Amino acid sequence: MTESTIELIDPTPEQRHQWQSLVDRIVEAQDEYYGRDAPTLSDAEYDQLMRDLIALEEALPGLRTPDSPTQRVGQAVRNEFPPVTHPERMLSLDNVFSESELMDWVARAQRTVADAGREVTRWLCELKIDGLACDLVYQDGRLVSGATRGDGRVGEDITPNVRAIKAIPQRLRGANVPPLVEVRGEVFFPVADFEGLNASLVEAGKAPFANARNAAAGSLRQKDPQVTASRPLSMICHGLGVHDGVDVTVQSGAYELMAGWGLPTSPYYKVVGTPAEIAEYVTWVGQHRHDPSILHELDGVVVKVDDLDDQAILGTTSRAPRWAIAYKFPPEEVNTELLDIKVGVGRTGRITPFAVMTPVRVAGSTVARATLHNAFEVKRKGVRIGDIVVLRKAGDVIPEVVGPVVELREGRETREFVMPTNCPVCGAELRPEKEDDKDIRCPNSEHCPAQATERLAALGARGALDIEALGYEAAAALTNPVEGTPVLSNEAGLFDLKAEDLAHVMVQRQNKDGETTLEPFFFTKGDGKKRSEPTATALQMLREIDVAKDRPLWRVLNALSIRHVGPVAARALAARFGSMDAIRAASVEELTQTDGVGAVIAQSLSEWFEVPWHANIVERWAAAGVRMAEDVAPVGEQPLAGLTLVVTGTLTGFSRDGATEAITSRGGKASSSVSKATSYVVVGENPGSKAAKAEEMGVPILDEAQFQALLDGGPDALAS
Ligand code: IVH
């Protein structure tokens, strides 16, 4: 569409006002981001404002001015550093936010190039580095200038600071170094070093950086280059500006040249031939963006038309090339308000502060809470209740409060978090177990209802006794009811529960008018006509509790909430000792002879049994018929002793857990990766790469029938 075909509709005063207010907010955000390295908007919020402005100007082109943020690159420079004019203008990138928008861009570029009688056959795909754009000028191979991007024409001269970055060579090497070359790239702060930097800033009483990109900007734009030198900044180059006497025909060729001169380039770029391969690259990056081998944060993928003649056909707009596009991933970092910091009581009494936030969507889910681990961590992050905080949820990782947006504190009421001195549930005085422990605990493990709830809920979990209907709410209703005495003061009586015990357990519920009412949890309401009776879920819970009595010994052991004794140690102990009595009778030294059981676990286990109310749990469970012994051969008669097995693919007669159990209960070790130490790899249907690896390494492979033979009779059975 050409200018002349656009029908210019006159904007109304309201639309002008809307445009101006969007521009003002964007310019202010740019000033904070580029000028002060202290943004108050998250990237996602900024992108949304830009998208709104682009849409408004597309609907009403009469609003667009040459100095609109949609027509400019970045921001005019401030005067803290001397201005420097870039030999060639530095452009920005246009963004797309979905794969279909990306494919539309690809199709448009293909059409434009086809109109000129050519065809795009090379697409250069690379990572979009979340750092700070930087321009380097080399004359006769010597670094003579380093500058920020600024408004694209004039940046800030930060040459002394750039010289302090180890990855940037002072001199280019090789025979084909041109007389003048301008190199563009991204300076970044390595992800792995970011947390450590913030911790040391807070310790020194300084404000932390909200993210690694700001840390890069703040570290690079330092008045004192020594500060820059003390930070582990690095750079990746992704383009050339002016280049005299450089012979390249494709963008990727420029990368090869730069790498040859000793400049840092990315190992992750890839030239592909088709749109489907571009989509594959995007998927790959989405799955690998948090791999530790990728040292920098990345917020998307950049796709470039590789051939420089095709680039020339496509040309540029005032702010960005038409031959490149940034595909931005959904945000993993957003800003939200920290409404409160509360504390939770864990099943072993550990007190954990957690953030309560205004719910926000981040990386595909809505988040309102995040653990803050302990009081030291709250201090280390420098967050205050009432702050606007940066919330991060990287991939499938648990949401994390990164830190406060310190610049937004002004005018907000914020207060420091104070760790309580008493348990919020039972009132017991909190204390660390050992003097230098970071965690503090509620010592009242026998009577604290919160701890009983947590233990009971953990006991019902899949990895323990697998009582599906005993979830957190049911556990809380049993151990910490709103009124009356709890049905269970701890887990000792769990297996003696009868339906009638549950009749009077009440919980608070909100009705549709928002009023709080008391209702039975395990029973139906009942009125004059209808009898109150156990709900189907309550009956299911009782049935499941009954079935759980016959779970393998390791699960019973795991269900006891003994500190440090997780499923791995529980399996090993059950396999070695064969019964709860034998484990209880074993000395610390004997316990430590079990594979995977160290002194800490052994000590904790031994101390646990010495506590009378703990011993009572085991006794009451045993009296109720809970399995307290493994029905496999004890130590010495274990056919798989000393063998390590890896199972890959689906077996018809075993679930994944079942196969592991079958191996460990016979004294073998179940591992998830194939190595020289692997004795056999059991291959089911649709095996993964482990089968191929086993073959490659010469590890014996068993099918399911051979696996069964091994379980029944040990390696000798295989030989026959
Ligand atoms: S090429 C003329 N490639 O993202 C094309 N830029 O949001 C200019 N960026 O201004 C840029 N990774 O500072 C290019 N692989 C990459 C990049 C990249 C990050 C930055 C660059 C650009 C900004 C736009």
Side-chain angles (χ1 to χ4, degrees):
M1 191 157 43
T2 60
E3 281 289 314
S4 59
T5 61
I6 296 174
E7 198 188 330
L8 286 183
I9 308 162
D10 262 350
T12 62
E14 287 78 38
Q15 286 164 334
R16 278 193 191 288
H17 179 76
Q18 191 192 354
W19 181 88
Q20 191 59 54
S21 89
L22 274 172
V23 168
D24 289 349
R25 287 173 68 195
I26 290 169
V27 169
E28 192 184 332
Q30 287 180 337
D31 182 48
E32 291 164 350
Y33 186 87
Y34 295 114
R36 287 183 259 151
D37 305 326
T40 59
L41 287 186
S42 68
D43 286 0
E45 288 165 325
Y46 178 82
D47 284 342
Q48 190 55 53
L49 288 179
M50 268 304 240
R51 267 189 274 181
D52 291 348
L53 186 64
I54 291 168
L56 187 62
E57 290 183 353
E58 259 164 25
L60 297 160
L63 283 173
R64 193 180 283 138
T65 63
D67 66 346
S68 161
T70 62
Q71 309 300 302
R72 288 188 289 114
V73 172
Q75 242 265 321
V77 299
R78 298 162 66 83
N79 50 13
E80 286 160 47
F81 295 89
V84 55
T85 303
H86 305 307
E88 189 176 294
R89 204 151 64 89
M90 286 178 85
L91 294 176
S92 185
L93 286 170
D94 283 336
N95 296 319
V96 289
F97 297 91
S98 70
E99 222 169 287
S100 76
E101 284 175 357
L102 175 63
M103 289 306 143
D104 288 348
W105 174 84
V106 168
R108 264 200 315 277
Q110 273 170 329
R111 273 199 305 274
T112 311
V113 172
D115 286 347
R118 291 171 57 90
E119 191 192 351
V120 184
T121 56
R122 295 171 63 92
W123 303 93
L124 174 57
C125 304
E126 48 193 74
L127 308 182
K128 185 165 186 328
I129 304 141
D130 200 8
L132 186 83
C134 195
D135 189 46
L136 310 174
V137 179
Y138 286 90
Q139 260 170 13
D140 296 324
R142 284 168 200 274
L143 178 67
V144 292
S145 156
T148 63
R149 186 178 62 183
D151 67 359
R153 289 179 195 283
V154 179
E156 294 161 311
D157 182 354
I158 49 162
T159 311
N161 299 16
V162 163
R163 288 193 197 284
I165 300 175
K166 283 193 201 78
I168 299 177
Q170 303 294 317
R171 298 191 66 157
L172 299 182
R173 59 167 194 244
N176 56 354
V177 171
L180 176 69
V181 65
E182 193 184 8
V183 173
R184 270 85 192 263
E186 225 59 24
V187 169
F188 63 89
F189 198 100
V191 198
D193 299 305
F194 172 62
E195 278 205 9
L197 171 75
N198 265 1
S200 59
L201 286 173
V202 172
E203 198 145 292
K206 295 187 185 144
F209 288 112
N211 56 41
R213 193 249 163 222
N214 296 348
S219 304
L220 192 59
R221 298 172 75 260
Q222 286 283 338
K223 275 286 162 202
D224 179 0
Q226 295 225 1
V227 179
T228 309
S230 74
R231 306 265 168 92
L233 292 175
S234 193
M235 183 174 184
I236 283 179
C237 302
H238 53 58
L240 293 178
V242 291
H243 49 278
D244 244 10
V246 178
D247 190 20
V248 276
T249 56
V250 286
Q251 179 96 11
S252 52
Y255 296 179
E256 283 166 26
L257 272 181
M258 289 194 283
W261 296 332
L263 286 161
T265 51
S266 174
Y268 293 104
Y269 71 82
K270 189 171 180 192
V271 180
V272 300
T274 63
E277 288 171 294
I278 298 176
E280 248 171 58
Y281 182 87
V282 169
T283 307
W284 185 88
V285 177
Q287 287 164 348
H288 292 269
R289 62 184 293 197
H290 299 294
D291 285 5
S293 58
I294 304 178
L295 304 179
H296 52 81
E297 296 273 13
L298 62 101
D299 56 349
V301 162
V302 181
V303 181
K304 296 172 183 169
V305 170
D306 196 34
D307 190 298
L308 299 189
D309 289 336
D310 292 343
Q311 287 190 2
I313 293 167
L314 287 158
T316 67
T317 68
S318 59
R319 70 179 290 278
R322 287 201 194 85
W323 47 262
I325 197 80
Y327 166 66
K328 286 204 144 179
F329 290 136
E332 292 196 324
E333 260 181 24
V334 293
N335 289 357
T336 187
E337 186 178 6
L338 178 58
L339 301 170
D340 202 355
I341 297 179
K342 293 194 169 156
V343 296
V345 188
R347 66 175 169 145
T348 58
R350 191 167 83 175
I351 304 292
T352 310
F354 62 91
V356 180
M357 295 161 290
T358 307
V360 271
R361 256 194 104 65
V362 52
S365 63
T366 302
V367 176
R369 283 166 183 236
T371 178
L372 290 163
H373 304 288
N374 55 50
F376 293 88
E377 195 64 7
V378 177
K379 194 155 188 328
R380 194 178 72 84
K381 289 184 189 290
V383 286
R384 297 170 62 95
I385 298 161
D387 265 336
I388 298 295
V389 293
V390 176
L391 176 70
R392 180 172 170 78
K393 182 164 170 276
D396 291 335
V397 175
I398 299 158
E400 182 201 4
V401 173
V402 181
V405 184
V406 180
E407 292 69 28
L408 286 180
R409 271 202 188 138
E410 210 170 302
R412 299 187 70 82
E413 228 171 83
T414 65
R415 65 191 158 88
E416 198 136 328
F417 164 69
V418 183
M419 194 73 170
T421 51
N422 292 77
C423 174
V425 179
C426 75
E429 199 176 317
L430 303 174
R431 50 172 195 249
E433 200 169 49
K434 282 184 253 100
E435 215 177 283
D436 54 354
D437 273 357
K438 284 200 168 143
D439 293 322
I440 57 169
R441 291 175 184 275
C442 167
N444 183 21
S445 54
E446 184 176 0
H447 299 295
C448 176
Q451 290 185 53
T453 303
E454 296 290 334
R455 286 198 308 271
L456 206 56
L459 170 163
R462 216 178 273 168
L465 293 182
D466 198 4
I467 306 171
E468 207 183 327
L470 181 58
Y472 189 87
E473 276 188 34
L478 289 168
T479 53
N480 196 7
V482 275
E483 59 167 36
T485 33
V487 175
L488 297 175
S489 61
N490 61 42
E491 55 272 52
L494 177 70
F495 293 96
D496 303 322
L497 273 185
K498 295 189 184 43
E500 57 267 29
D501 300 333
L502 307 175
H504 304 293
V505 178
M506 305 301 272
V507 287
Q508 269 179 345
R509 293 233 161 88
Q510 270 197 346
N511 66 17
K512 44 183 185 328
D513 302 325
E515 293 158 356
T516 311
T517 58
L518 272 187
E519 286 177 19
F521 186 82
F522 294 105
F523 268 57
T524 56
K525 257 203 224 154
D527 51 31
K529 285 181 235 131
K530 264 194 287 166
R531 239 169 24 106
S532 170
E533 54 187 14
T535 62
T537 319
L539 292 174
Q540 186 197 336
M541 182 182 83
L542 292 172
R543 269 194 310 273
E544 286 175 357
I545 291 174
D546 201 44
V547 170
K549 289 178 184 169
D550 202 33
R551 297 265 187 259
L553 178 61
W554 75 265
R555 286 179 178 270
V556 178
L557 188 58
N558 191 30
L560 290 171
S561 289
I562 304 173
R563 257 170 90 190
H564 307 297
V565 180
V568 176
R571 275 180 205 275
L573 287 159
R576 182 172 173 80
F577 292 95
S579 76
M580 193 68 85
D581 281 345
I583 296 170
R584 188 175 175 173
S587 66
V588 170
E589 207 191 355
E590 283 164 340
L591 291 170
T592 52
Q593 279 159 14
T594 313
D595 216 11
V597 175
V600 174
I601 297 179
Q603 192 66 38
S604 168
L605 195 61
S606 171
E607 282 170 10
W608 190 89
F609 280 109
E610 276 165 30
V611 176
W613 73 271
H614 290 165
N616 180 49
I617 297 174
V618 177
E619 278 149 26
R620 284 195 58 188
W621 284 13
V626 175
R627 181 201 284 266
M628 290 290 159
E630 211 62 287
D631 50 17
V632 295
V635 196
E637 294 167 35
Q638 297 188 323
L640 303 195
L643 300 180
T644 300
L645 276 79
V646 174
V647 179
T648 175
T650 315
L651 301 176
T652 46
F654 299 84
S655 65
R656 187 47 65 96
D657 275 356
T660 307
E661 213 157 289
I663 296 165
T664 52
S665 64
R666 288 162 178 80
K669 219 168 131 180
S671 166
S672 57
S673 58
V674 181
S675 73
K676 274 190 279 179
T678 312
S679 321
Y680 298 98
V681 173
V682 180
V683 176
E685 268 190 41
N686 303 320
S689 59
K690 288 171 202 168
K693 187 157 182 210
E695 214 162 310
E696 208 175 280
M697 296 183 72
V699 176
I701 292 178
L702 305 182
D703 62 19
E704 188 166 344
Q706 290 167 312
F707 175 50
Q708 189 61 59
L710 181 76
L711 292 175
D712 294 341
D716 293 347
L718 288 178
S720 57

